[in-house]
Amino acid sequence: MTETNLSGDTGHDAIQLAPRPWVGLAVTMLGLPLLPLGWPFTAVVSCFGLFLLLQTALLRLRFEADDLVVLRVNSEIRRFPYADWSNWVVFWPKVPALFYFREVNSIHFLPVLFDATELQQQLKKRIGPSGTDSAEA
């Protein structure tokens, strides 16, 4: 699947977020201090961090005119139509690690493996302010 520019009625172009390995690297490094507790703790946490690094290399988020598209190595996995979203939050905005959004019938949690600033900008532009952004006007 190739990336196309969508500039239909909404005036939004398709934007694919740049990958950011910080969450995967941080989780991998968090395994090292656990070594005194035993190697299994270190192995589990570090392997999870390596899994997140692999996902950083493979997954992409693309904001299109009407949908958030999840891609794996340029193959579309799933579409999330903005019309079905009821809320979204990026937890710990100073050190973004977790992205939550709720659709009409389901909730989703994703690790922030992407440029968090661009993620928040695109969400505000295409969906509106987060449910926690009550101070914005």
Side-chain angles (χ1 to χ4, degrees), residues 33-80:
L34 296 177
L35 197 53
L37 297 175
W39 69 267
F41 295 109
T42 300
V44 168
V45 173
S46 295
C47 284
F48 181 63
L50 293 173
F51 169 76
L52 290 175
L53 284 171
L54 178 65
Q55 294 303 318
T56 301
L58 297 177
L59 295 179
R60 297 290 177 265
L61 290 184
R62 185 171 62 212
F63 287 89
E64 294 185 353
D66 298 318
D67 305 314
L68 172 66
V69 180
V70 179
L71 305 162
R72 182 185 305 128
V73 191
N74 295 326
S75 295
E76 184 178 312
I77 298 174
R78 181 141 183 225
R79 288 182 169 268
F80 297 100

Side-chain angles (χ1 to χ4, degrees), residues 5 10 14 72 76 81 96 103 108 117:
N5 257 353
T10 62
R72 182 185 305 128
E76 184 178 312
E103 289 185 293
H108 306 278
T117 303

Side-chain angles (χ1 to χ4, degrees), residues 5-14 63-67 82 122 125-126:
N5 257 353
L6 299 176
S7 54
D9 298 336
T10 62
H12 299 303
D13 292 332
F63 287 89
E64 294 185 353
D66 298 318
D67 305 314
Y82 305 136
Q122 290 299 318
K125 177 180 175 182
R126 295 168 190 272

Side-chain angles (χ1 to χ4, degrees), residues 17-136:
L17 298 183
R20 295 289 189 262
W22 308 124
V23 171
L25 288 171
V27 172
T28 302
M29 297 304 290
L30 281 174
L32 296 177
L34 296 177
L35 197 53
L37 297 175
W39 69 267
F41 295 109
T42 300
V44 168
V45 173
S46 295
C47 284
F48 181 63
L50 293 173
F51 169 76
L52 290 175
L53 284 171
L54 178 65
Q55 294 303 318
T56 301
L58 297 177
L59 295 179
R60 297 290 177 265
L61 290 184
R62 185 171 62 212
F63 287 89
E64 294 185 353
D66 298 318
D67 305 314
L68 172 66
V69 180
V70 179
L71 305 162
R72 182 185 305 128
V73 191
N74 295 326
S75 295
E76 184 178 312
I77 298 174
R78 181 141 183 225
R79 288 182 169 268
F80 297 100
Y82 305 136
D84 293 344
W85 290 43
S86 61
N87 190 25
W88 64 270
V89 177
V90 175
F91 289 102
W92 309 294
K94 301 281 186 205
V95 184
L98 190 62
F99 167 50
Y100 156 86
F101 67 97
R102 179 174 176 81
E103 289 185 293
V104 174
N105 294 319
S106 60
I107 61 171
H108 306 278
F109 287 94
L110 299 170
V112 178
L113 306 175
F114 317 98
D115 181 354
T117 303
E118 183 69 16
L119 173 66
Q120 290 179 337
Q121 289 173 351
Q122 290 299 318
L123 289 167
K124 287 177 183 175
K125 177 180 175 182
R126 295 168 190 272
I127 299 159
S130 166
T132 60
D133 288 345
S134 59
E136 282 194 17

